[in-house]
Amino acid sequence: MGINFQDLIEFVRYILPRRKTKSGFFGILVVGILILRIIASSYSIPVQYEVLTFFIFGIIWHIIWLFLSGRRAIPSNKIVIAFALRSENYKSQRIIDSAISRIKDRLNIIGLLETIKITQIGSDIFSTKEEAEHYVKKRNFFLVIYGTVYRGTINDSYRYDMRNFFFSYLAFNAPRGSDYFGVIQNDIKLMLANRDWIISESNEIPDIEKVSNELFESALSIISITLARSLEHIEIAIQLINFLLPALEQGIPPEERVIKIPTKSKKVKLHLNLIKSGRLRAILGEIHIGLIRYYGDEADYDKVIYYAEQGLRIGADPVNCYSGMAIASFYQGDIERAKKYTVEINKKAPNHPLYLVNSAFFAIRDKEYIEAINSYNLLRKDKKVSQEIIYDVITFLAERFAEQSKEFGYLYGQAILTFNYVSKKNGRSLLSDFLEKAQGHNEYEDMVDLAQKLCK
């Protein structure tokens, strides 16, 4: 029986990835030594030089193999996704190669092939999840996909099962065991849920396309979720999520894109892609809110406004977006625009703490002290105001008082917030300081009355 040329090519494709395993290392080492032995015999090379040649060849091949197999890696600025998929036979290897090739094609189409590097490593580097996680951390790879592609028959039809592989990944600024790492794990489980990893030989090309797409979406979902807290890679996370959202939403039937709440049943059935896209949108919103806060702390107010506007477009929390734009506009000297954004906060969430503290500040600045008192009194009814908001506002008012030491309304604001949300003792001390400084200034009469009552 003759050898089919196509089968020979497929067999070579099956053998080639094995060169990255330990058996492949020793196999090539033996073949190389045999070839050198034949050459040495032909030229009557002395034994000592022959042995030295074998030794040098062994060292050079070992160094090459260490990097070729992924056991050693040259540091890269790219996001590295490594595949360590083991094939049962040469046809299973063809499935792996085709899936990876299609992933590279998609990355190239969306312009991310220069940012994301796809590599194949030895399938025997690790055998357990713990070893894989250690490898990811040691090599600083962003994602490793590993496992076995099995081939079998169902109803006399060959099928390739890619369900038996696993993902190990880096989670930036989220130590294992932390609450946020748990959130990342749950998000990734959601993105991997209900994927179709079966390829039928009778429907091979469409199925390979389908599975490579599943693998592509899964890999990019994991990368985007794990990069969401990495400032260095945050723009890549935004780009990936913006690419994934339309792809997920295309798979939602039009009639299931609108959430319908049944009148009798309390259960709501949602299309899984709707849940996935909703979660990715939430993560995208959280990224923008984080960037608003970061660039606010860095006093880069143009970027605060840019990310706040982008955040509003993609559905991020409008209160935080408008609040960021208000504070940025204030520091840029555009007070009227800051007031406008403060009004927008109230439209989205009436009497929200951020609206009340902003409106109180502008009232003090405009010497409308009754309005400031009213805003603070409304705020004081809310006992669950975020401590982060309170401390930020107290710091902000202290800075304004340092700039305008004759405007005692800022001191009053500090005192009221400290008394109600931080410390009664410290609050009374600040109120006493306010009373001493405001004595004889009739414009603060109403603030003085309330301060005296609280001091008692």
Side-chain angles (χ1 to χ4, degrees):
M1 184 173 68
I3 298 176
N4 184 290
F5 184 69
Q6 184 61 37
D7 285 344
L8 180 61
I9 292 175
E10 296 288 359
F11 183 72
V12 171
R13 289 176 63 180
Y14 170 69
I15 289 296
L16 274 177
R18 266 73 187 159
R19 72 193 188 281
K20 299 182 179 184
T21 65
K22 290 178 181 178
S23 59
F25 166 77
F26 287 110
I28 292 176
L29 181 65
V30 169
V31 171
I33 289 174
L34 288 174
I35 293 172
L36 289 173
R37 180 75 183 87
I38 293 171
I39 294 172
S41 299
S42 301
Y43 290 94
S44 301
I45 296 174
V47 174
Q48 61 269 28
Y49 292 120
E50 186 177 338
V51 172
L52 180 61
T53 303
F54 297 161
F55 181 71
I56 293 173
F57 167 73
I59 291 176
I60 293 173
W61 167 234
H62 185 250
I63 293 172
I64 293 172
W65 177 78
L66 287 175
F67 286 94
L68 182 69
S69 68
R71 286 167 171 82
R72 296 288 184 274
I74 298 173
S76 173
N77 293 326
K78 292 185 177 183
I79 293 174
V80 179
I81 300 177
F83 286 85
L85 294 175
R86 184 183 297 108
S87 56
E88 266 196 327
N89 51 47
Y90 72 89
K91 289 193 175 182
S92 297
Q93 185 61 46
R94 184 182 63 196
I95 299 297
I96 294 172
D97 293 342
S98 297
I100 293 174
S101 177
R102 280 168 167 76
I103 289 173
K104 288 182 178 179
D105 289 342
R106 283 182 174 85
L107 287 174
N108 188 42
I109 289 170
I110 64 176
L112 282 176
L113 200 55
E114 295 299 315
T115 304
I116 298 177
K117 177 183 177 181
I118 303 293
T119 185
Q120 294 190 64
I121 60 176
S123 58
D124 63 343
I125 293 178
F126 37 76
S127 56
T128 66
K129 186 175 182 180
E130 290 72 21
E131 290 175 356
E133 290 174 353
H134 176 73
Y135 176 85
V136 167
K137 187 175 181 180
K138 185 178 180 181
R139 292 283 162 259
N140 202 36
F141 285 0
F142 285 65
L143 174 65
V144 170
I145 302 170
Y146 57 100
T148 303
V149 176
Y150 293 101
R151 182 173 183 258
T153 58
I154 295 181
N155 298 327
D156 297 324
S157 175
Y158 280 108
R159 289 160 66 96
Y160 300 90
D161 189 346
M162 293 185 71
R163 289 175 298 183
N164 299 285
F165 60 77
F166 308 91
F167 300 85
S168 287
Y169 46 84
L170 285 178
F172 287 86
N173 301 316
R176 290 186 180 275
S178 66
D179 290 341
Y180 194 79
F181 185 78
V183 172
I184 288 176
Q185 283 185 310
N186 290 334
D187 285 338
I188 289 174
K189 285 178 184 177
L190 172 63
M191 295 305 155
L192 298 180
N194 203 35
R195 297 284 184 181
D196 188 353
W197 303 113
I198 303 298
I199 296 173
S200 172
E201 198 168 71
S202 60
N203 197 35
E204 186 174 303
I205 293 177
D207 279 358
I208 290 176
E209 182 71 20
K210 172 195 66 185
V211 167
S212 64
N213 187 59
E214 297 279 30
L215 200 54
F216 176 70
E217 286 186 7
S218 298
L220 293 197
S221 296
I222 293 172
I223 293 294
S224 61
I225 290 168
T226 55
L227 291 185
R229 287 175 61 88
S230 169
L231 185 64
E232 181 184 356
H233 305 100
I234 203 73
E235 289 296 342
I236 297 172
I238 292 173
Q239 188 176 355
L240 290 176
I241 293 175
N242 281 327
F243 172 78
L244 286 166
L245 283 172
L248 284 170
E249 290 167 355
Q250 281 177 2
I252 306 172
E255 65 275 10
E256 295 189 47
R257 294 183 183 184
V258 179
I259 300 175
K260 298 178 181 179
I261 302 175
T263 53
K264 296 181 179 180
S265 174
K266 294 182 179 180
K267 294 182 179 180
V268 179
K269 290 184 179 180
L270 299 176
H271 193 281
L272 185 58
N273 276 14
L274 186 63
I275 299 173
K276 290 180 179 181
S277 64
R279 181 56 192 146
L280 281 181
R281 286 189 181 279
I283 292 171
L284 192 59
E286 290 166 7
I287 289 174
H288 281 77
I289 298 304
L291 288 171
I292 291 168
R293 291 170 180 164
Y294 172 78
Y295 285 113
D297 292 340
E298 294 294 304
D300 191 340
Y301 301 116
D302 286 337
K303 285 190 176 179
V304 169
I305 291 175
Y306 169 78
Y307 283 109
E309 289 175 343
Q310 293 297 312
L312 288 172
R313 289 192 185 98
I314 56 92
D317 176 36
V319 170
N320 281 300
C321 289
Y322 282 121
S323 177
M325 295 165 81
I327 194 72
S329 298
F330 170 80
Y331 280 118
Q332 289 178 330
D334 194 338
I335 305 303
E336 290 308 310
R337 190 168 65 165
K339 288 180 179 179
K340 183 186 76 172
Y341 290 138
T342 295
V343 171
E344 291 298 324
I345 296 173
N346 199 45
K347 288 180 181 178
K348 298 297 181 181
N351 290 335
H352 189 280
L354 285 171
Y355 164 73
L356 294 174
V357 294
N358 279 14
S359 60
F361 163 72
F362 287 122
I364 293 170
R365 189 179 183 279
D366 295 338
K367 301 191 182 302
E368 297 173 351
Y369 300 114
I370 295 295
E371 287 189 23
I373 291 171
N374 291 338
S375 292
Y376 282 132
N377 284 344
L378 280 173
L379 182 69
R380 291 169 61 206
K381 295 177 181 179
D382 187 347
K383 303 301 181 183
K384 297 180 180 179
V385 181
S386 164
Q387 287 294 297
E388 184 180 5
I389 292 176
I390 296 300
Y391 283 113
D392 284 349
V393 174
I394 289 173
T395 301
F396 177 81
L397 291 173
E399 290 171 352
R400 303 290 75 75
F401 186 53
E403 293 172 352
Q404 303 176 46
S405 58
K406 298 299 183 182
E407 179 47 86
F408 306 128
Y410 296 140
L411 180 58
Y412 172 84
Q414 292 178 67
I416 287 293
L417 294 177
T418 302
F419 180 85
N420 281 276
Y421 297 103
V422 181
S423 163
K424 300 290 185 187
K425 180 180 178 181
N426 293 340
R428 285 193 181 94
S429 177
L430 286 170
L431 285 167
S432 297
D433 191 19
F434 165 75
L435 288 171
E436 183 180 340
K437 286 181 168 59
Q439 188 175 5
H441 295 271
N442 294 332
E443 64 269 31
Y444 299 110
E445 181 179 354
D446 295 291
M447 286 183 172
V448 167
D449 288 342
L450 182 56
Q452 287 175 339
K453 291 177 182 177
L454 293 175
C455 282
K456 293 179 182 179

